[in-house]
């Protein structure tokens, strides 16, 4: 018989900046579900990916003097590296720039047009000529462009529209007939109110930028973001191609995990598009809460208050971070992310409760029985509560996981861990160990503790996939003894199993010292940072060269640094680049001759402010062509609260090497 399938998705993230802990939150949660379902025997499809088109990306790339594709390739590789680091077990990774997705979206757009669900009309709004962007009245800041602060004018643009307005009643009916469609329940009313206010048709194409999926029957237009992004959930399964086997197997999705701010798109626009195409609807959309910073603001790239997951994983280990994210905050609610809470969880739950239980148990089995628990064991009524709790733990975890209550599932597991620690205090093995006549009783106590830990290790595996094999190795269990089936059974640990004491799972952290160090590394939310995270703000025309060094992790050795040839150079001439308003073309004397460098600093410097200065040049960077300019290197600049500042070293002669 075919296995039952389970299809789960994360949002596809914008690669407009590096991933932060907020993106990791949804991805880790989806991963835990995917792993849990696989463990239960489902045939799982777990999809994540990136949403790569749109004006914002086009502008970011231009600011760095590279093509949009080069820009996204770089950032997407950082996302992918982070998912690898966090042990994310996604089956597929979709990029909206992938050919099959582009073709799929074009097909869907055409199909909707042919069915009369999309029509051509006019888009009106406040237009900023400099940013080439339309804004609604409410988006304006003091009547001006919210991005650049310049004047805007009322403008019209030809655009395609999707007949969203006709779907209001059908969507309300969907919510009524499928009360489970929007979860948590609390998010449903907001959607109902939104629909009841009346749905307008949705603008689904643009002519004001080009970085998007072209409408194949009208080349002036590119498909506007949501109609490009939402169909990823089906194009990833082959919809729009000739091979529909995965689509037929996995669609409709069992659940789309999304942050609460995009529930509307997933529970109104997405079902409407699918209805218009006569396709089945996803079974559920779960809108999880936000990670907030200590001051209660949402962590976001534009606020610059993001927590870097690389730093955290490096310091505490991936599983500690996965555990904290899923345990600390109930999935549907917002929750604070604080360094203090993170360390408290690591010390109390991981080092004290779990770590101690394992190390005490394995050390005692070693000490009293040389690592092998004798077959002769004497049970007592005192054992029953522990045995009952451990044998039924799987059911309670299953129930919590069915409702995506990660925190409750973990709390149940920790109840058993706490009960086991208490059991050690109650049975006092150290006293039993002194009495030769109590050997069989001591053996039963040790066996019960190992059994509890075995069950804990199985059910914890989807949440902490790196730690649980270490627990199982110390317990000497593998294969059937660690299967999902055996998590629901007591007395599985085979006779003669060899138990060894291993390394400490989670070393205790010195709280005060650590908080001080961590606060230096992770931005303090009270200090408002500059708009852009550091990784993006420095002008780096050669961003693609940095692929191998994701932000936050890269400690390099002196031999790596020695590979970079830094040299002082004089700016002989400087001029704007016609096709790229953010770029300046510099002609340099590098001590050996002349060379040109393109740098994305036009926003901060007029050409005459650079001419004559001596700057620091990365002299051995591979040349790259940027908007028609051959760039033979890169100049160094600092990212300061007042903008980017080029490093001037006027007193040092051109050509001087820098070590
Ligand atoms: N590209 C769209 C989604 C298209 S899905 C068809 C998008 N991308 S995003 O990069 O902004 O990612 C949004 C998602 O990242 C949120 O919905 C949420 O899952 C996650 N998070 C981003 N910041 C977050 C927090 N501060 N807290 C929790 N999750 C956060 O929207």
């Amino acid at each position: 018989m075919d296995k039952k399938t389970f299809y789960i998705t994360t949002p596809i993230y914008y690669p407009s900046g590096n991933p932060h802990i907020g993106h990791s939150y949804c991805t880790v949660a989806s991963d835990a579900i995917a792993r849990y379902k696989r463990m239960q025997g489902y045939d799982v499809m777990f999809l994540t990916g990136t949403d790569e088109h749109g004006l914002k990306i086009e502008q970011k790339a231009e600011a760095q003097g590279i093509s949009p594709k080069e820009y996204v390739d770089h950032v997407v590789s950082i996302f992918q590296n982070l998912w690898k680091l966090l042990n994310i077990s996604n089956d597929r990774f979709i990029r909206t720039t992938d050919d099959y997705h582009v073709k799929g979206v074009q097909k869907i757009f055409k199909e909707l047009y042919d069915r009369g669900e999309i029509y051509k009309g006019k888009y009106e709004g406040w237009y900023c000529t400099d940013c080439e962007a339309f804004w609604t009245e409410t988006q304006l800041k003091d009547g001006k462009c919210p991005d650049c602060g310049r004047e805007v004018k009322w403008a019209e643009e030809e655009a395609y529209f999707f007949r969203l307005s006709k779907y209001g009643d059908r969507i309300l009916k969907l919510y009524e007939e499928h009360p489970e469609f929007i979860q948590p329940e609390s998010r449903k009313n907001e959607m109902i109110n939104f629909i009841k206010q009346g749905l307008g048709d949705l603008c689904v194409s643009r002519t004001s930028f080009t970085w998007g999926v072209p409408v194949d029957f009208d080349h002036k237009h590119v498909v506007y973001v949501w109609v490009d992004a939402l169909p990823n959930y089906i194009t990833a399964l082959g919809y729009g191609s000739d091979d529909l086997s995965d689509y037929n197997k996995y669609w409709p999705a069992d659940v789309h995990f999304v942050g609460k701010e995009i529930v509307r798109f997933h529970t109104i626009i997405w079902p409407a598009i699918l209805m218009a195409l006569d396709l089945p609807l996803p079974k559920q959309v779960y809108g999880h809460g936000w990670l907030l910073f200590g001051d209660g603001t949402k962590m976001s790239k534009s606020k610059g208050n993001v927590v870097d997951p690389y730093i955290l994983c490096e310091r505490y280990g991936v599983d500690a971070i996965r555990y904290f994210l899923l345990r600390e905050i109930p999935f549907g609610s917002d929750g604070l992310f604080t360094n203090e809470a993170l360390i408290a969880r690591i010390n109390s739950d991981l080092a004290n409760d779990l770590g101690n239980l394992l190390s005490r148990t394995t050390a005692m089995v070693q000490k009293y029985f040389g690592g092998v628990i004798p077959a002769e064991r004497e049970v007592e009524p005192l054992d029953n509560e522990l045995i009952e709790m451990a044998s039924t733990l799987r059911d309670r975890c299953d129930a919590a996981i069915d409702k995506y209550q990660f925190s409750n599932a973990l709390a149940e597991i920790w109840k058993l861990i706490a009960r086991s620690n208490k059991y050690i205090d109650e049975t006092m093995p150290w006293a039993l160990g002194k009495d030769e006549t109590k050997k069989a009783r001591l053996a039963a106590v040790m066996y019960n503790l190992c059994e509890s830990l075995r069950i804990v290790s199985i059910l914890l595996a989807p949440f902490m996939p790196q730690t649980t094999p270490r627990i199982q190795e110390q317990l000497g269990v593998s294969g059937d003894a660690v299967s999902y089936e055996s998590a629901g059974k007591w007395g599985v640990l085979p006779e003669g199993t060899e138990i060894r004491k291993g390394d400490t799972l989670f070393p205790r952290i010195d709280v005060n010292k650590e908080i001080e160090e961590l606060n230096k590394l992770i931005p303090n939310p009270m200090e408002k940072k500059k708009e852009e995270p550091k990784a993006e703000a420095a002008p780096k025309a050669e961003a693609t060269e940095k692929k191998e060094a994701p932000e936050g992790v890269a400690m390099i050795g002196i031999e790596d640094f020695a590979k970079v040839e830094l040299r002082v150079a004089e700016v002989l001439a400087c001029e704007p680049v016609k096709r790229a308003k953010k770029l300046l073309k510099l002609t340099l004397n590098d001590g050996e001759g002349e060379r040109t460098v393109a740098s994305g600093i036009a926003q901060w410097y007029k050409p005459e402010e650079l001419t004559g200065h001596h700057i620091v040049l990365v002299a051995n960077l591979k040349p790259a062509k940027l908007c028609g300019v051959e760039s033979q290197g890169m100049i160094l600049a600092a990212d300061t609260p007042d903008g980017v500042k080029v490093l001037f070293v006027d007193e040092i002669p051109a050509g001087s090497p820098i070590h």
Side-chain angles (χ1 to χ4, degrees):
M1 211 183 77
D2 281 348
K3 280 196 206 170
K4 264 182 79 177
T5 60
F6 190 88
Y7 181 27
I8 181 166
T9 65
T10 72
I12 47 171
Y13 303 107
Y14 291 130
S16 50
N18 290 355
H20 56 72
I21 199 83
H23 303 114
S24 312
Y25 181 54
C26 185
T27 313
V28 163
S30 309
D31 182 63
I33 294 297
R35 287 174 182 271
Y36 204 98
K37 293 286 171 184
R38 281 189 207 109
M39 177 172 87
Q40 287 180 314
Y42 284 84
D43 174 346
V44 171
M45 173 59 77
F46 168 22
L47 174 72
T48 188
T50 39
D51 186 359
E52 305 183 8
H53 292 126
L55 181 66
K56 199 164 172 188
I57 301 268
E58 195 176 85
Q59 287 173 337
K60 290 242 169 183
E62 199 189 331
Q64 295 196 3
I66 55 179
S67 71
K69 186 62 167 52
E70 280 175 306
Y71 177 85
V72 291
D73 280 352
H74 171 64
V75 183
V76 169
S77 75
I78 298 176
F79 270 88
Q80 288 174 325
N81 284 338
L82 179 62
W83 300 158
K84 229 183 266 165
L85 176 71
L86 283 168
N87 276 312
I88 303 302
S89 63
N90 54 303
D91 298 287
R92 283 196 194 157
F93 189 98
I94 186 166
R95 300 183 55 179
T96 51
T97 49
D98 286 336
D99 279 352
Y100 68 88
H101 175 75
V102 170
K103 284 199 188 101
V105 167
Q106 286 175 330
K107 256 192 162 167
I108 289 169
F109 199 94
K110 179 79 173 39
E111 172 83 25
L112 290 170
Y113 182 72
D114 290 344
R115 286 171 177 240
E117 300 282 352
I118 280 180
Y119 62 92
K120 207 182 220 179
K122 261 195 199 116
Y123 184 79
E124 292 178 328
W126 293 105
Y127 188 71
C128 171
T129 322
D130 197 64
C131 298
E132 296 173 10
F134 272 99
W135 304 105
T136 60
E137 185 78 43
T138 46
Q139 285 172 320
L140 297 181
K141 247 196 215 146
D142 304 324
K144 301 205 167 121
C145 171
D147 259 9
C148 72
R150 290 192 175 85
E151 294 292 338
V152 287
K153 61 176 189 218
W154 189 253
E156 290 178 352
E157 177 184 311
E158 179 187 279
Y160 286 91
F161 287 83
F162 171 60
R163 295 190 193 281
L164 183 64
S165 56
K166 77 182 218 201
Y167 287 96
D169 287 343
R170 272 182 75 183
I171 294 170
L172 287 174
K173 196 157 160 249
L174 161 74
Y175 298 169
E176 229 174 271
E177 287 172 359
H178 296 278
E180 73 295 346
F181 181 71
I182 305 179
Q183 287 298 315
E185 278 291 314
S186 53
R187 309 226 182 274
K188 198 184 303 175
N189 274 343
E190 199 189 319
M191 297 306 124
I192 294 175
N193 289 339
F194 188 85
I195 297 172
K196 286 195 171 157
Q197 282 167 20
L199 294 177
D201 287 349
L202 184 74
C203 178
V204 291
S205 83
R206 285 287 196 273
T207 53
S208 51
F209 64 91
T210 54
W211 180 239
V213 175
V215 174
D216 54 355
F217 55 88
D218 192 347
H219 279 282
K220 252 186 11 207
H221 292 256
V222 292
V223 177
Y224 194 52
V225 286
W226 287 97
V227 182
D228 172 5
L230 289 162
N232 90 86
Y233 301 128
I234 53 176
T235 58
L237 300 177
Y239 185 84
S241 78
D242 296 334
D243 182 0
L244 290 180
S245 53
D246 283 340
Y247 171 79
N248 290 331
K249 187 170 176 192
Y250 295 108
W251 189 255
D254 290 271
V255 65
H256 293 311
F257 274 2
V258 298
K260 65 178 185 181
E261 79 290 356
I262 53 173
V263 167
R264 184 150 59 88
F265 302 98
H266 284 79
T267 58
I268 298 176
I269 298 177
W270 183 220
I273 292 174
L274 291 164
M275 285 170 183
L277 290 166
D278 273 327
L279 295 178
L281 309 182
K283 293 178 200 160
Q284 190 170 86
V285 175
Y286 193 106
H288 66 76
W290 285 345
L291 290 188
L292 305 172
F293 236 124
D295 61 352
T297 52
K298 185 187 176 214
M299 209 177 284
S300 85
K301 282 174 287 208
S302 57
K303 289 205 193 90
N305 64 352
V306 292
V307 169
D308 184 341
Y310 278 108
I311 295 179
L312 297 180
C313 290
E314 209 184 21
R315 289 182 89 79
Y316 309 116
V318 168
D319 278 359
I321 304 308
R322 288 177 61 116
Y323 173 75
F324 176 75
L325 291 176
L326 298 179
R327 176 68 196 267
E328 184 72 8
I329 306 152
F331 195 47
S333 318
D334 291 350
L336 288 187
F337 183 102
T338 66
N339 296 337
E340 286 78 3
L342 170 66
I343 292 169
R345 281 278 174 204
I346 295 175
N347 274 348
S348 80
D349 299 9
L350 301 180
N352 266 7
D353 299 347
L354 174 62
N356 269 348
L357 176 62
L358 180 72
S359 66
R360 287 161 94 189
T361 303
T362 51
M364 288 190 290
V365 178
Q366 274 289 333
K367 180 170 171 195
Y368 299 123
F369 300 117
V372 179
I373 302 170
E376 196 191 323
R377 296 191 290 268
E378 191 184 312
V379 293
E380 280 190 11
L382 172 69
D383 306 343
N384 292 344
E385 193 188 318
L386 179 74
I387 295 174
E388 163 69 16
M389 200 176 200
S391 343
T392 53
L393 177 63
R394 194 186 78 170
D395 295 341
R396 287 189 301 282
C397 282
D398 286 359
I401 286 299
D402 279 347
K403 295 193 209 126
Y404 307 122
Q405 295 172 342
F406 301 93
S407 186
N408 288 356
L410 288 166
E412 287 299 334
I413 297 175
W414 254 259
K415 273 187 209 160
L416 178 60
I417 293 171
R419 185 67 193 85
S420 304
N421 275 321
K422 187 167 159 224
Y423 180 76
I424 298 181
D425 300 338
E426 290 166 349
T427 53
M428 296 193 291
W430 49 92
L432 300 173
K434 286 190 193 132
D435 186 343
E436 262 310 300
T437 67
K438 297 280 169 57
K439 275 261 171 252
R441 177 61 194 145
L442 182 59
V445 168
M446 290 300 119
Y447 186 87
N448 292 343
L449 289 170
C450 289
E451 265 299 88
S452 288
L453 272 165
R454 181 187 63 80
I455 291 173
V456 163
S457 80
I458 300 170
L459 295 168
L460 200 52
F463 307 94
M464 303 179 73
Q466 243 170 43
T467 304
T468 47
R470 293 173 64 200
I471 301 176
Q472 290 166 358
E473 202 198 328
Q474 295 193 32
L475 294 174
V477 285
S478 58
D480 284 350
V482 293
S483 67
Y484 172 73
E485 282 62 42
S486 72
K489 290 189 198 137
W490 182 262
V492 170
L493 192 79
E495 295 301 341
T497 300
E498 204 171 313
I499 287 150
R500 330 165 243 272
K501 186 164 164 41
D503 292 339
T504 307
L505 290 183
F506 296 95
R508 263 192 79 82
I509 298 169
D510 176 337
V511 183
N512 293 335
K513 206 168 126 215
E514 186 63 22
I515 292 286
E516 198 181 309
E517 279 183 35
L518 202 55
N519 284 343
K520 276 188 226 149
L521 289 169
I522 306 268
N524 177 351
M526 300 307 175
E527 267 171 42
K528 280 273 169 275
K529 282 198 33 168
K530 245 196 96 225
E531 250 244 354
E532 297 296 336
K534 200 165 98 212
E536 297 167 18
K540 29 176 198 199
E542 49 302 294
T544 46
E545 295 298 316
K546 284 195 66 188
K547 263 196 192 117
E548 305 306 320
E551 299 299 332
V553 273
M555 295 292 288
I556 58 166
I558 188 78
E559 68 287 356
D560 291 314
F561 178 67
K563 288 183 198 153
V564 182
E565 196 206 334
L566 296 175
R567 209 189 297 168
V568 176
E570 182 191 354
V571 183
L572 298 174
C574 183
E575 59 184 286
V577 177
K578 271 205 196 83
R579 279 169 45 208
K581 56 178 182 280
K582 306 268 161 84
L583 275 189
L584 288 180
K585 178 181 160 193
L586 291 86
T587 308
L588 303 177
N589 162 20
D590 65 10
E592 287 171 14
E594 278 186 22
R595 63 164 89 194
T596 51
V597 165
S599 182
I601 49 173
Q603 206 179 326
W604 294 283
Y605 288 93
K606 295 196 186 93
E608 60 273 22
E609 292 174 317
L610 292 169
T611 311
H613 281 294
H614 289 200
I615 51 84
V616 179
L617 167 75
V618 180
N620 62 338
L621 204 62
K622 275 193 220 136
K625 197 132 201 181
L626 305 173
C627 299
V629 180
E630 161 101 11
S631 184
Q632 301 156 328
M634 167 191 178
I635 69 168
L636 294 195
D639 183 16
T640 79
D642 301 320
V644 165
K645 302 257 191 257
V646 171
L647 302 185
F648 290 140
V649 284
D650 292 341
E651 68 286 8
I652 303 175
S656 310
I658 300 174
H659 309 288

